[in-house]
Each structure stands twice: as structure tokens, then as C-alpha cells.
Amino acid sequence: MAGQWTTADYALIVSVCSAGASLFSLAWNVWSKFIYPKAKLEVGAGYYVDGAKDKPTTNHYVVVSVVNHGPTDATVKLIVGRLWKWHSLVTRQFDMLIISHRGKMPPKLPKIELPIKVAVGAEEKFVFDREINWFKDGQRFQIGLVDTFGRQHWANMKRMRKLKKDLEGSEDDKIN
């Protein structure tokens, strides 16, 4: 009967595997929390009006903001956008583009200087003219930022839908 396994043998194997998984989990948590922490960035996009809406000198802007929720400082390298296609939810593949100031920009807008360091608890804003053409032909567009680790941080779709609605409303105001 020396070749048969008993309940104690199975319990020993399960205990050793459990201890190995626990050690791996502990090492992973120590590594990600203390040795090599990465900042959590929140990206927002909004439509801002500078001045009263009924005045002809009113300025309209699209502002992309980023807030660093810590635990370390972060450096934003790129402002990016992605277009959702019908297969994007299944394949996780998007049409990506890098967003920058192209063409003639009004002189009153601050120049976007990237990369930019965002301290813990700080907010940085990137201002674009409302003449941008992000929402073509009813496409779903999402804006985000890329940090030094190569991670992409995206504005939530609720904010992007509101921005699209505001931009379409501003076009109606511009025509009238």
C-alpha cells in the first residue's frame, strides 16, 4: 500500500500550491504598490464658453483636462484619440490618431507643450479651438492621454457624448 495516495497527501499538495500562490500575490502587491507604483490619471473633456453666450465676442473652447490621483507624479507624453468601429468592442482594435495643434490657431490659445509633468493632486488643461473636427459623420470618438509608461488614459464616453452635443449646439449658434 505504499503507492497509494491518502487524503493527507492531497492536502499537502493543495497546501503547497496555496502557499505558492500567496507568495506570488504578496510579491506582486509589494512590487506594484511600493517598488514601482504608477499614477492614476483621470481624463476629462468639455466645452467651455468664455464670456456671455449672447455676445458676438464670446470665445468657445474645447478643453481636455487631466487630474493626477497619485501615488506618484506622472508625465503626459501625447494627446491621442480613437475612433470606435462596429467591431471595436469584440476585437479591441481602434483607429488611433495623435492630436496636436495643426493649422492656424488663434493667438489667444496657450500653446500645448508636451511632455508635461503632472504632480499628485494637480490638474493640467489643454485648450483647443472649437473648430476642431473630431466628430465626423456621427462617429464615436474618444480622447485620451498617454503617459511615460505607455499606458493610455481615456475620457469616459458620457463626457464625450456631452462634448459632441455641445459642439453640435455651438455650430447651430454659429450659423444663426
Side-chain angles (χ1 to χ4, degrees), residues 103-163:
K104 186 176 178 184
M105 293 299 292
K108 58 188 167 272
L109 291 181
K111 185 175 181 194
I112 294 177
E113 301 272 342
L114 292 176
I116 188 168
K117 191 169 194 121
V118 183
V120 175
E123 178 181 25
E124 291 292 334
K125 294 185 178 184
F126 307 102
V127 181
F128 296 90
D129 191 28
R130 79 164 174 191
E131 303 300 325
I132 56 176
N133 199 8
W134 289 346
F135 299 99
K136 295 181 188 175
D137 305 324
Q139 292 178 334
R140 289 179 61 189
F141 181 79
Q142 193 172 18
I143 192 160
L145 303 168
V146 177
D147 64 10
T148 52
F149 296 107
R151 296 186 316 156
Q152 300 169 355
H153 307 271
W154 298 100
N156 63 22
M157 289 305 291
K158 183 178 179 181
R159 289 184 182 176
M160 294 307 297
R161 282 190 298 270
K162 183 171 181 348
L163 175 61

Side-chain angles (χ1 to χ4, degrees), residues 3-167:
Q4 288 189 346
W5 289 52
T6 63
T7 305
D9 295 331
Y10 290 115
L12 182 63
I13 291 172
V14 169
S15 298
V16 168
C17 291
S18 175
S22 297
L23 284 174
F24 176 76
S25 175
L26 177 66
W28 180 265
N29 285 334
V30 168
W31 175 262
S32 65
K33 299 279 186 208
F34 302 110
I35 297 174
Y36 204 57
K38 296 178 184 173
K40 292 168 184 57
L41 301 178
E42 179 185 353
V43 179
Y47 180 72
Y48 293 94
V49 178
D50 183 16
K53 281 190 173 184
D54 56 349
K55 292 185 179 179
T57 59
T58 302
N59 299 316
H60 302 266
Y61 304 111
V62 174
V63 177
V64 177
S65 63
V66 58
V67 178
N68 184 355
H69 292 290
T72 61
D73 293 348
T75 302
V76 175
K77 291 191 331 183
L78 295 171
I79 302 173
V80 295
R82 65 181 174 188
L83 293 173
W84 289 70
K85 301 293 183 186
W86 64 272
H87 56 77
S88 294
L89 290 177
V90 176
T91 62
R92 303 299 296 164
Q93 294 179 354
F94 308 92
D95 289 344
M96 299 287 290
L97 56 127
I98 296 174
I99 298 172
S100 64
H101 285 300
R102 291 201 176 121
K104 186 176 178 184
M105 293 299 292
K108 58 188 167 272
L109 291 181
K111 185 175 181 194
I112 294 177
E113 301 272 342
L114 292 176
I116 188 168
K117 191 169 194 121
V118 183
V120 175
E123 178 181 25
E124 291 292 334
K125 294 185 178 184
F126 307 102
V127 181
F128 296 90
D129 191 28
R130 79 164 174 191
E131 303 300 325
I132 56 176
N133 199 8
W134 289 346
F135 299 99
K136 295 181 188 175
D137 305 324
Q139 292 178 334
R140 289 179 61 189
F141 181 79
Q142 193 172 18
I143 192 160
L145 303 168
V146 177
D147 64 10
T148 52
F149 296 107
R151 296 186 316 156
Q152 300 169 355
H153 307 271
W154 298 100
N156 63 22
M157 289 305 291
K158 183 178 179 181
R159 289 184 182 176
M160 294 307 297
R161 282 190 298 270
K162 183 171 181 348
L163 175 61
K164 181 179 180 182
K165 185 177 138 191
D166 290 343
L167 282 173

